[in-house]
Amino acid sequence: MKKYKHFETNAIRGQMSRSQKKEHSVPIFATSSFVFNSGEEARAVFAEETDGYMYSRYNNPNTDEFVEKLCALEGVEEGLAVATGMAANYLALMPHLVPGDHIVASRSLFTSSHQIITQILPRFGITHTYVDCDDNEGFANAVQPNTKLFFIETPSNPGLDLVDLALIVKIARKNNCLVAVDNSFASPYIQNPGLLGADMICHSATKFIDGQGRTMGGAILGSAEAMEAVRFYSRQSGPTLAPFNAWVLSKSLETLPLRMEKHCENAMKLAEFLESAQGIKSVRYPFLPSHPQYELAKRQMRLGGGIVSFEIEGGYERCIRFIDKLEMVSITPNLGDSRTAITHPASTTHSKLSEEERQMVNITKELVRTSVGLEHIDDIIGDVQQALDRSK
Ligand SMILES: *Cc1c(COP(=O)(O)O)cnc(C)c1O
């Protein structure tokens, strides 16, 4: 739980793993297992009567440091570091569900989350209902006697639709359901679903938490109650984060507040530029007053986030021409990187959805998604401007 009063301090000093040598910079504990001083100590640690490390599939000082800092940042009790964001999302679902259960999910989801819900869960007899992100009544109406869990992503990828988290928690409480929130797009700096009552918070640490496109990683955090089943499932099935990756990600957290401030400042400026630019059909950014859920964004999010999505006039061909004319911005699906990145969701990240599914979440052929980086904003806007001009 929260150790220091301020986010910045928790990101840096929320936890620091040290060896016996008491170094200031945290070492990497590249070890698969840990030794005991006696047979009795080994027994007690395995019996969980005393704290102690035994085997790095369970935990390791580097994964502990990373996850304890994250718990302090999200304001929740417990967490688990995992190898990818998708391992976290999988762990938010599987440990809590049995055949015959039903879940409610927001319709605009990261494609792999959508694939788990539509392709994997049905094999185990688990059904789902999708609800449009802004359909508050729809979420209440979707609950069935066998509904166990709400799975929410907000802001959504790539449409930047928002779900009212306080409302979801209220509906879930009334119906005895768990709430899991994929918080990857916001990062803990922008919103803390756990403080609104969500039971589990999932992160793809690959994105803003790493922030420099170096490593995969994930985390699932939440109440001690919700995490008990998650911990059991994870220990047995083994989606563990490697010590080196945990070390990178824990270091990354130290600069998360500074980076998020800049990502959001640059994103806001790019969004404002695009709103007045020639050849742009629509711009989506939560903190633009033109966003249909602007009021909710201001209530729920501390800043608008680092992603801007927009539609370009002139159809698919113009879109691709525009992307091809960019000279600095990278064409890559990763996001949350210090380098500005662009992708065309309909033909890449969301190509696995059917045309109908894409339409339902407003992923048109003219939509591009930008992850706004930390370069100087004039260079970012300059590149976008010249690509718009040269792709007419
Ligand atoms: C990238 C992403 C994931 C998956 O994370 P990985 O680390 O790639 O497994 C899940 N949810 C959202 C919203 C993402 O952007």
Side-chain angles (χ1 to χ4, degrees), residues 160-188:
L160 300 167
D161 299 313
L162 308 183
V163 179
D164 186 336
L165 290 173
L167 178 103
I168 297 296
V169 168
K170 208 166 126 198
I171 298 169
R173 284 293 156 274
K174 212 170 120 195
N175 294 285
N176 239 335
C177 299
L178 292 166
V179 177
V181 179
D182 182 337
N183 204 22
S184 305
F185 252 46
S187 91

Side-chain angles (χ1 to χ4, degrees), residues 4-20:
Y4 296 98
K5 199 165 150 206
H6 297 284
F7 191 99
E8 290 79 354
T9 317
N10 278 313
I12 293 168
R13 292 182 180 272
Q15 208 266 31
M16 276 175 73
S17 297
R18 294 186 207 279
S19 73
Q20 300 293 321

Side-chain angles (χ1 to χ4, degrees), residues 83-87 89 110 112-113 153 155 157 182-185 203-207 216-218 334-335 369:
T84 65
M86 281 321 302
N89 285 356
F110 187 71
S112 293
S113 306
E153 183 183 317
N157 176 15
D182 182 337
N183 204 22
S184 305
F185 252 46
H203 281 290
S204 167
T206 317
K207 311 294 169 55
M216 305 293 295
N334 194 29
L335 58 94
R369 186 196 73 191

